[in-house]
Amino acid sequence: MSMMMSSPGAENLRASESDEAPARWRALALIAFSQLLVLTLWFSASAVAPQLEELWRLSSAQTSGLTQAVQIGFVVGALALAVFGVNDAVPSRVMFGFAAAIALLANAALVTLDAGDYGMAFGLRFLTGAALAGVYPSGLKVMSGWFRTGRGMALGVLVGALTVGSAGPHLIRGVGFDWQGVVLGASALAAVGAVILVAGVRDGPFEVPAQRFSLRLVGRTVRNREFRLASYGYFGHMWELYAMWTWTASFLAASAAAGGYSSGWVSTATFFVIAVGGAGAAVAGVAADRMGRPLVAGLSMALSGSIALASPLLFGVSPWLTVPVFLVWGFAVVADSAQFSALVTEVTSPTERGTALTLQTALGFLITLITIQLIPDLAEVHSWRWAFPVLALGPAAGILAMRTLAAEGFLRPRR
């Protein structure tokens, strides 16, 4: 079946447009801002989980399930898109807009539910995650179409925007909105973001035309050893990232209670702990373009993994010590993220770029399902003090993958 489609606006780009095209900076700003707004949908329910737990009389497992549902939906959606090569067969901006619309509607529908509709709530969060699988990789692919040199910086800015967007619901909650306000606010922001990218951004000079559908795309992708090594690094990164993001608020609240401190600051602190990763991703992107992606990714994972190991020492102490260290962790834990995506765009054929990015993210988010569930289980058995050290296993494995990739000659980005 052919799904060949032309990219609107691409024909207006001059063949002479290059890595220095001035329009790419405008595209960078608009793509990043749109991604920031749409990704507020991810944690819109997680940010109000304590309120929902009380109002809907949820168990801790059900509360965790609302976060897990998004992850599961993303994995299912991304795997389906990857297996059928949809992100290489459908223009990226079209995919972004269509998927964002589904996600924001599914998210907004949560406010129509009541305490007896947990199954429906889980289903809506699943659908939100499945739709976001068409948003995140598409945004990466649109950005790759504008940047060849400086791609690590560009994708770092994009992942930074994603990080700030993911933290957004915690800030909305922290300034006093009720749970319906947080959910509807996230959907409204996502709608604005979708319009910005679809209407305000054209395809870049390095955008690959839509490809004819073929299941061979997946086979060619996974046979690429450099793709596999880049993905192994990403998998180690994902082992740590979303579990840290999801359970930071719970750790900080439990730590404050253990030390006899008030906890009114936890939601706002959690926003900044997650959001500071935006700066980490951008800084690491600039450094990786100069120093090489494996080196920068390895250093980021070494720092974040070390803090995960040391986290028991922070439990119960003053927030004036705990929060600054968590801010460093938040900076480092996502700093390497964009570089795994940039590596994939550089070691795979342009015609397989969308499939490769989607497959990598799908499998990475599959891994997050393990640690998001594992952390509260460890906390229940051993207390929150000992919940996070296990996350260091991921960075350790990721560092090994990056060392192997560097040893095989991928020290600097390829042109």
Side-chain angles (χ1 to χ4, degrees):
M1 176 181 175
S2 173
M3 295 183 66
M4 294 291 289
M5 298 178 68
S6 60
S7 300
E11 67 274 11
N12 296 323
L13 287 166
R14 300 190 311 271
S16 61
E17 281 191 291
S18 68
D19 297 308
E20 302 305 320
R24 71 180 187 154
W25 301 110
R26 177 180 180 275
L28 171 62
L30 291 178
I31 296 168
F33 188 52
S34 64
Q35 191 83 283
L36 183 157
L37 295 178
V38 176
L39 265 295
T40 57
L41 297 173
W42 197 289
F43 283 121
S44 61
S46 301
V48 296
Q51 189 175 6
L52 290 179
E53 187 171 339
E54 180 179 352
L55 292 175
W56 290 3
R57 299 178 183 177
L58 303 179
S59 67
S60 59
Q62 288 176 316
T63 304
S64 175
L66 292 179
T67 298
Q68 291 275 41
V70 181
Q71 310 292 119
I72 296 169
F74 187 96
V75 170
V76 173
L79 284 175
L81 292 173
V83 168
F84 293 104
V86 176
N87 276 349
D88 283 308
V90 176
S92 302
R93 294 185 305 114
V94 174
M95 173 60 72
F96 186 100
F98 180 72
I102 295 175
L104 70 90
L105 291 173
N107 182 71
L110 280 174
V111 302
T112 67
L113 305 181
D114 57 32
D117 291 332
Y118 177 77
M120 181 63 72
F122 186 96
L124 288 172
R125 296 308 289 159
F126 176 93
L127 181 57
T128 300
L132 288 174
V135 170
Y136 176 45
S138 296
L140 292 173
K141 189 164 179 278
V142 173
M143 188 74 85
S144 297
W146 278 101
F147 286 81
R148 186 168 56 189
T149 59
R151 184 173 290 171
M153 175 278 300
L155 295 184
V157 170
L158 184 60
V159 171
L162 177 154
T163 302
V164 176
S166 297
H170 289 285
L171 181 61
I172 298 172
R173 175 63 180 149
V175 298
F177 281 86
D178 62 14
W179 76 270
Q180 293 98 332
V182 173
V183 170
L184 292 177
S187 286
L189 292 174
V192 174
V195 171
I196 287 174
L197 190 136
V198 174
V201 180
R202 63 180 181 177
D203 292 334
F206 309 115
E207 177 70 14
V208 180
Q211 304 298 304
R212 188 179 300 276
F213 166 71
S214 173
L215 287 174
R216 294 179 181 178
L217 288 173
V218 176
R220 289 201 299 266
T221 298
V222 298
R223 286 193 296 271
N224 183 331
R225 176 171 169 76
E226 290 179 322
F227 166 78
R228 295 199 305 272
L229 286 171
S231 295
Y232 296 154
Y234 181 71
F235 300 158
H237 156 78
M238 292 297 280
W239 173 270
E240 178 187 25
L241 176 63
Y242 271 82
M244 183 269 189
W245 277 0
T246 299
W247 298 113
T248 284
S250 296
F251 180 96
L252 293 178
S255 176
Y261 301 98
S262 67
S263 59
W265 48 269
V266 168
S267 290
T268 302
T270 300
F271 164 78
F272 285 108
V273 168
I274 298 175
V276 74
V283 170
V286 174
D289 284 335
R290 298 176 179 178
M291 301 166 58
R293 311 205 193 289
L295 174 60
V296 171
L299 291 174
S300 299
M301 287 186 284
L303 178 56
S304 65
S306 296
I307 296 175
L309 282 175
S311 60
L313 301 177
L314 302 171
F315 190 81
V317 305
S318 169
W320 291 104
L321 175 61
T322 304
V323 173
V325 176
F326 265 72
L327 288 170
V328 175
W329 193 5
F331 182 95
V333 75
V334 77
D336 51 339
S337 184
Q339 302 318 306
F340 301 117
S341 300
L343 280 169
V344 164
T345 69
E346 292 168 342
V347 303
T348 58
S349 165
T351 59
E352 300 161 13
R353 184 181 295 162
T355 295
L357 288 168
T358 308
L359 183 61
Q360 183 193 64
T361 54
L363 296 177
F365 277 91
L366 183 62
I367 289 170
T368 68
L369 299 178
I370 300 172
T371 48
I372 287 177
Q373 184 59 50
L374 178 62
I375 295 305
D377 289 345
L378 289 174
E380 185 174 352
V381 175
H382 302 292
S383 89
W384 277 102
R385 177 188 295 273
W386 300 102
F388 284 149
V390 70
L391 297 181
L393 293 174
I399 290 170
L400 179 60
M402 291 300 97
R403 285 177 58 88
T404 303
L405 194 59
E408 295 187 2
F410 201 99
L411 292 173
R412 291 187 180 276
R414 298 173 184 175
R415 303 303 183 203

